[in-house]
Amino acid sequence: MNFVRNWGFAAAAAIGMTLGGAALAEHHEDAIYKAVHENSARKDGEAARDSARHPEELLRFFGITPDMTVAEVNPGGGWYSRILGPLLKDKGHYVGLEHHPEEYKEYANYSANCVPTLKNLRKCAM
């Protein structure tokens, strides 16, 4: 009986690994994977923090897609901005909501759409 049980478990595990491998292969081809793992905009050493911040998992959890408008509140040093900007630059919009926008002008290069200020926020969000 143990023989049948062990074979059944092994077969289920093999099927699960095969199906999981197909799903994993799909993720390696999508825009979120590329924005996190194949992104030249990220600074040296930023990927080392991925194991603590889980950016790929977070973007998938929130359902972020490349055609969305995404607002980041207080982008700080730009760690997520350098992931979101390239992800959204072709089809979506990145909006960094910061009360001192002059401090974040350097991030204009990460998203081709708009750098919001209080004067043009409405234009950037559309």
Side-chain angles (χ1 to χ4, degrees), residues 73-86:
V73 178
N74 289 332
W79 193 87
Y80 269 107
S81 304
R82 286 185 288 278
I83 294 171
L84 289 168

Side-chain angles (χ1 to χ4, degrees), residues 6-23:
N6 290 341
W7 269 104
F9 176 76
I15 290 169
M17 284 189 288
T18 302
L19 294 176

